[in-house]
Amino acid sequence: MSSCCTPDGSCSTNAGEATTAVADSTATVYAVSGMTCGHCKTAITTSVSALAGVISVDVDVAGGLVTVTTGGAPDDAAIAAAVDDAGYELTGRA
């Protein structure tokens, strides 16, 4: 499947096609403390992305939020452990 982005970097109106491919996915937002920089973002993204069932990870360092998209219900305990392993603290769902 091709990207929903057009050559100029904007999103096309056919974005629904990509969404259909992961219709059973769940996006969950977590509050994480201790993040201050790009290294933090990379460490958390790498650690959480390695978990089974994780489709994508989006880290908002400034907001202290991590959005994890999973194929089905997220495993909060496994995600918390992965964040902990990266050196940060998951304080709950946002």
Side-chain angles (χ1 to χ4, degrees), residues 10-94:
S10 64
C11 289
S12 71
T13 57
N14 295 332
E17 290 178 26
T19 303
T20 304
V22 288
D24 293 335
S25 66
T26 301
T28 307
V29 182
Y30 298 94
V32 175
S33 63
M35 301 185 299
T36 59
C37 64
H39 169 75
C40 302
K41 179 176 182 173
T42 300
I44 289 174
T45 300
T46 301
S47 185
V48 176
S49 293
L51 296 173
V54 172
I55 297 169
S56 68
V57 177
D58 181 51
V59 178
D60 175 5
V61 172
L65 301 173
V66 176
T67 303
V68 181
T69 303
T70 55
D75 182 344
D76 290 342
I79 293 169
V83 169
D84 184 62
D85 286 347
Y88 306 91
E89 181 184 1
L90 188 150
T91 57
R93 287 190 182 198

